Amino acid sequence: MNDVKSIVAKNITELRLMNGMTQLELGEKLNYSDKTISKWERGESSPEIGVLVEIARLFGVTMDYLVGMETVEQTAVEQKKMETRYNRRVINYIAEAGVWIAAIFAFVITSFVTTETSFHWLYFVYALPIAMIIRLVFNSIWFNPRHNYIIISVLVWSVLAAIQVTFWYFGIDVRLIYLLGVAGEIIIVLWSFLKKPKKSES
């Protein structure tokens, strides 16, 4: 217990100095006096769990690092992974937003070119399945492949809806096409139960 207390004291001191903060400044951010910070750093007492979490958040490290279960290098690697995951999600959202921006752009341009506006809203109908395709690609490469089943399901129904709406525009009723969606949904559900065989240890 004393070892953990001394490790916490050492790490708080190092993190404070690395960030160019005085004990008073750190105390103000945590709503504690500089005397309390001094006691923590001398190992005479330790912060409560909630305060440790706040200190970790303040300095951008993990709880494991604060209590000595993780090295600086491991913390840096974990921080890099978090940044990478965040950047990948941003790229995914930008790509999907690009589809809707393109649909709006096409809507505006064709509104200027032709006075026939009854079909312009179809751009937004087609934008949904295209956005789902982009999400499927990024999710397969960067994120959790298990979510692909949900994305594919939305993709199937959005494609069928786009087909039905397009034919409806020309006065053709193809509502029975949704039976294909039911069949596709059954296949997707069954597919989700498939498991990859585990590699045997040699």
Side-chain angles (χ1 to χ4, degrees):
M1 184 65 180
N2 290 331
D3 289 340
V4 174
K5 186 182 292 186
S6 62
I7 290 171
V8 170
K10 174 177 173 291
N11 287 335
I12 291 177
T13 304
E14 288 182 351
L15 290 169
R16 178 178 61 79
L17 294 175
M18 285 170 56
N19 286 269
M21 297 172 61
T22 65
Q23 291 181 342
L24 180 61
E25 289 172 335
L26 178 57
E28 288 176 348
K29 290 184 179 294
L30 299 173
N31 294 319
Y32 282 89
S33 67
D34 57 336
K35 292 181 179 179
T36 301
I37 303 299
S38 179
K39 287 183 178 180
W40 292 347
E41 293 186 354
R42 292 198 305 269
E44 295 178 4
S45 63
S46 290
E48 296 178 354
I49 294 296
V51 181
L52 283 174
V53 172
E54 182 64 19
I55 293 173
R57 185 200 62 78
L58 178 63
F59 292 121
V61 297
T62 63
M63 281 287 289
D64 283 345
Y65 172 77
L66 273 183
V67 298
M69 297 176 63
E70 190 175 81
T71 64
V72 176
E73 290 77 12
Q74 289 172 321
T75 301
V77 169
E78 186 62 29
Q79 185 70 23
K80 187 67 176 178
K81 287 181 180 179
M82 291 175 62
E83 291 175 359
T84 300
R85 284 195 293 267
Y86 175 81
N87 290 335
R88 286 175 174 177
R89 291 201 178 279
V90 171
I91 292 171
N92 182 24
Y93 294 146
I94 290 174
E96 289 185 36
V99 175
W100 295 102
I101 292 173
I104 295 172
F105 181 77
F107 179 85
V108 172
I109 293 299
T110 51
S111 296
F112 288 136
V113 173
T114 176
T115 57
E116 179 62 37
T117 60
S118 59
F119 69 90
H120 293 180
W121 54 272
L122 288 174
Y123 294 127
F124 302 104
V125 175
Y126 301 142
L128 180 57
I130 295 174
M132 286 298 102
I133 292 173
I134 291 175
R135 177 168 295 191
L136 178 63
V137 171
F138 281 112
N139 190 73
S140 300
I141 298 173
W142 286 339
F143 306 120
N144 188 352
R146 296 294 297 179
H147 294 163
N148 284 351
Y149 305 116
I150 299 174
I151 299 172
I152 292 173
S153 180
V154 175
L155 174 61
V156 168
W157 289 105
S158 62
V159 167
L160 293 176
I163 294 173
Q164 194 269 333
V165 170
T166 302
F167 276 91
W168 174 75
Y169 172 75
F170 292 104
I172 304 173
D173 186 2
V174 291
R175 283 177 293 181
L176 290 177
I177 197 172
Y178 289 111
L179 292 176
L180 294 176
V182 174
E185 196 67 39
I186 293 173
I187 294 173
I188 292 170
V189 171
L190 294 175
W191 180 26
S192 68
F193 286 109
L194 288 178
K195 293 183 179 179
K196 291 183 178 180
K198 294 182 180 179
K199 294 181 179 179
S200 57
E201 297 181 357
S202 56

